[in-house]
């Protein structure tokens, strides 16, 4: 990744308006989460999304919903069956998950975090609706900052280290080259090791070269890279490589889920082709 992108990844933030609008469109979010910019970008990209669906069998919104709902399902299980009471969602963008889960589980503490400008915007949004309180907060973080007030260490200093924790990132990791994101995962695993029980949930787009839609997928990631003025590298080639990669970063228990195999349980129509996105749950 070029030095410029290493110093700042703010160019990624506008993409949160697009996904925020998708969550709203699919009734996962209240209207407050839908921005005019998100609506506009969604409208501009609609012909491309239609072409990809009809021409290539690639349903972009279906893939987004697969990842979002699979993460929701794993999070619900961790709360209901794993005793998790504190959640940190990094790169929260305009996702409504914090709002939905804080409303559904009155015991849960939910800390949302993003780059300073996006965090300020999210805080304002939630505050205006009266949804922020001591249990549900928003804070600035930069996963590239190795020290200082926006570093991961500063974010984790606010948590209760006597209790289990679950950390989420969604729509973040494939914006970075593998060495950079692995250095974040290594720092994250180090922070998580200081809790009695800790796990990390993320989605990941692997480099599935045998996938029948691989060429179209490459076209799609090229497009995402251009739209966000960066790149969108695919990481690892299969579940075995994902597990080995996360273990190298310090995670011990690693599970890889293919949401396309769980469509019915996630309340989605059957997937039209083999899955392109994976959800990873990794514990230290
Ligand atoms: C595609 S959006 C995903 C937002 C949300 N998680 C969702 O799925 O709707 C990517 C998010 O990553 C955030 N982001 C980019 N670089 C970051 C960094 N270095 N540290 C923390 N967040 C970052 C952006 O501000 C943006 O909100």
């Amino acid at each position: 990744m070029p030095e410029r992108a290493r110093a700042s990844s703010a160019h990624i933030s506008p993409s949160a308006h697009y996904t925020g609008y998708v969550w709203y469109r699919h009734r996962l979010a209240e209207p407050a989460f839908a921005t005019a910019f998100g609506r506009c970008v969604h409208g501009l990209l609609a012909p491309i999304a239609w072409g990809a669906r009809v021409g290539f069998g690639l349903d972009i919104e279906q893939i987004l919903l697969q990842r979002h709902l699979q993460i929701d399902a794993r999070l619900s299980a961790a709360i209901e069956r794993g005793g998790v009471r504190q959640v940190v969602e990094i790169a929260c963008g305009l996702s409504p998950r914090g709002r939905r889960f804080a409303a559904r589980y009155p015991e849960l503490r939910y800390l949302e975090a993003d780059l300073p400008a996006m965090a300020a915007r999210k805080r304002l949004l939630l505050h205006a609706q009266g949804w922020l309180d001591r249990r549900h907060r928003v804070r600035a973080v930069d996963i590239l900052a190795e020290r200082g007030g926006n570093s991961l260490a500063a974010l984790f200093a606010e948590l209760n280290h006597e209790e289990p924790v679950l950390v989420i990132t969604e729509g973040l990791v494939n914006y970075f080259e593998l060495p950079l994101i692995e250095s974040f995962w290594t720092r994250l695993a180090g922070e998580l090791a200081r809790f009695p029980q800790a796990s990390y949930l993320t989605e990941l787009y692997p480099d599935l070269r045998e996938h029948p839609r691989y060429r179209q997928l490459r076209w799609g990631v090229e497009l995402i890279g251009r739209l966000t003025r960066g790149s969108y590298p695919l990481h690892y080639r299969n579940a075995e490589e994902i597990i080995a990669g996360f273990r190298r970063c310090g995670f011990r228990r690693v599970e890889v889920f293919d949401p396309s195999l769980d469509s019915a349980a996630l309340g989605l129509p059957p997937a039209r082709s083999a899955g392109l996105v994976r959800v990873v749950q990794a514990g230290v």
Side-chain angles (χ1 to χ4, degrees):
M1 172 168 282
E3 258 331 292
R4 182 179 52 78
R6 193 181 274 277
S8 163
S9 52
H11 60 282
I12 301 169
S13 292
S15 59
H17 292 259
Y18 176 78
T19 47
Y21 190 73
V22 170
W23 312 140
Y24 161 71
R25 236 172 77 76
H26 291 275
R27 297 163 196 247
L28 291 165
E30 285 99 339
F33 290 94
T35 64
F37 181 63
R39 185 185 299 269
C40 172
V41 175
H42 187 272
L44 289 174
L45 293 181
I48 298 177
W50 178 84
R53 192 172 62 249
V54 174
F56 303 156
L58 268 188
D59 189 334
I60 297 164
E61 293 196 19
Q62 168 102 337
I63 296 170
L64 290 173
L65 289 171
Q66 286 174 340
R67 80 177 200 205
H68 196 77
L69 296 175
Q70 181 77 274
I71 292 175
D72 277 3
R74 300 304 310 164
L75 175 58
S76 296
I79 295 168
E80 290 170 17
R81 300 199 288 280
V84 166
R85 292 285 171 273
Q86 54 181 344
V87 175
V88 182
E89 182 160 0
I90 295 173
C92 59
L94 299 169
S95 169
R97 181 178 291 113
R99 156 73 184 150
R100 282 192 282 111
F101 275 77
R104 192 182 307 163
Y105 298 101
E107 305 277 285
L108 192 66
R109 273 163 289 125
Y110 207 105
L111 179 57
E112 303 202 47
D114 205 301
L115 290 172
M118 181 53 82
R121 178 168 198 136
K122 185 70 169 288
R123 195 178 302 113
L124 216 58
L125 185 163
L126 296 174
H127 178 71
Q129 303 297 319
W131 291 335
L132 280 186
D133 56 25
R134 278 177 49 246
R135 285 195 309 118
H136 186 187
R137 294 178 297 131
V138 186
R139 193 193 186 288
V141 76
D142 181 350
I143 63 151
L144 304 179
E146 295 191 8
R147 58 191 71 85
N150 289 341
S151 65
L152 206 56
L155 178 70
F156 273 77
E158 298 194 4
L159 302 175
N160 181 344
H161 284 74
E162 313 281 303
E163 281 188 17
V165 67
L166 187 143
V167 176
I168 299 171
T169 63
E170 181 182 4
L172 179 73
V173 304
N174 285 92
Y175 283 104
F176 300 94
E177 297 294 342
L178 192 57
L180 203 55
I181 203 65
E182 283 192 342
S183 93
F184 161 65
W185 285 334
T186 304
R187 278 180 284 120
L188 178 62
E191 290 296 337
L192 294 183
R194 297 166 53 219
F195 291 81
Q197 186 194 318
S199 56
Y200 170 54
L201 265 175
T202 189
E203 110 285 16
L204 181 78
Y205 295 90
D207 196 11
L208 300 171
R209 294 183 196 173
E210 294 79 25
H211 195 285
R213 297 271 180 269
Y214 186 68
R215 277 186 43 222
Q216 290 83 355
L217 173 67
R218 296 277 358 158
W219 170 86
V221 300
E222 181 73 18
L223 180 69
I224 299 174
R226 277 170 196 267
L227 290 172
T228 53
R229 291 180 292 124
S231 64
Y232 203 78
L234 303 174
H235 300 320
Y236 310 122
R237 293 198 49 189
N238 50 43
E240 289 70 35
E241 285 194 12
I242 294 175
I243 292 169
F246 274 77
R247 289 213 171 120
R248 273 198 307 280
C249 294
F251 292 93
R252 284 196 300 192
R253 287 170 288 103
V254 188
E255 289 177 279
V256 180
F257 300 92
D258 175 351
S260 73
L261 305 176
D262 281 339
S263 299
L266 298 177
L268 290 171
R272 287 163 21 131
S273 63
L276 287 166
V277 64
R278 298 291 181 269
V279 168
V280 180
Q281 185 158 15
V284 287

